[in-house]
Amino acid sequence: MGGSLVLMVDALKFKLTTPKLELFDIWLQPTAESLVWCRDQVVEVIAGDCLLTGSHHVEDMKFNDRFIVDVNITFLEKPKRSPSDETKIQSKLIEAVGNTALALTTQLIISTITNVLVNDYNKWAATRIKA
C-alpha cells in the first residue's frame, strides 16, 4: 500500500486520494476534496465530497451511496512576539498544519472504510453460511 496523493485543484481546494485498499479480488480507493483556509491566526481544513471507486463488488454494494465524509479541522496559532519571526514561521506552520490535517483525514477515511468493509463482510458471510 503506497502513500496518499494530494493534488492542488486551486488556491483553496485540494484533492486527496488515499492508498488503494485491497483484499483478495476486492479493492477500494477513496478520493476526497478538501478546502483549506488561512486567515489571521486560524487554519481551517474541511474535507468532504468523498468518492469511493473500486472493484465490481464495491460498485454492486453501492458503497459510494452509503459513505459520507465530513471532516472539519481547525488549528489556532498563538500570537508571535516578533513580526519578523511570524513571517518566517508562517509558511512552515501552514505547511505543517496542512500536512497534519490531510494525514488525519486520510487516516479517518481509511479506518472508517475498513470498519465498514469488515462489518459488511461479517453480514455477508453470515448469510452465506446459512444458505
Side-chain angles (χ1 to χ4, degrees):
M1 180 162 71
S4 298
L5 176 65
V6 179
L7 297 173
M8 185 177 222
V9 176
D10 60 36
L12 298 175
K13 190 182 288 186
F14 296 85
K15 184 176 181 180
L16 173 66
T17 302
T18 64
K20 186 187 286 188
L21 304 171
E22 294 182 273
L23 177 65
F24 304 114
D25 64 337
I26 301 172
W27 65 272
L28 175 74
Q29 185 154 35
T31 303
E33 291 197 350
S34 300
L35 296 172
V36 180
W37 284 280
C38 302
R39 60 187 177 281
D40 299 324
Q41 295 167 341
V42 176
V43 177
E44 187 173 11
V45 179
I46 298 174
D49 297 328
C50 184
L51 174 65
L52 299 179
T53 56
S55 63
H56 70 90
H57 307 289
V58 171
E59 301 297 328
D60 291 346
M61 294 179 78
K62 300 190 184 309
F63 268 37
N64 191 55
D65 297 340
R66 298 172 37 204
F67 186 76
I68 297 171
V69 172
D70 186 12
V71 179
N72 187 338
I73 302 171
T74 303
F75 295 92
L76 303 174
E77 178 185 6
K78 292 182 179 179
K80 304 291 183 258
R81 293 183 183 158
S82 166
S84 63
D85 287 343
E86 187 174 326
T87 304
K88 292 176 187 175
I89 294 173
Q90 188 174 13
S91 64
K92 290 183 180 182
L93 175 68
I94 290 172
E95 181 179 351
V97 166
N99 288 341
T100 301
L102 291 174
L104 290 170
T105 302
T106 300
Q107 195 57 39
L108 175 69
I109 291 171
I110 290 173
S111 65
T112 303
I113 290 173
T114 302
N115 289 335
V116 168
L117 283 172
V118 168
N119 289 336
D120 283 354
Y121 174 78
N122 289 336
K123 290 175 188 173
W124 174 82
T127 61
R128 299 283 292 180
I129 292 171
K130 291 178 185 177

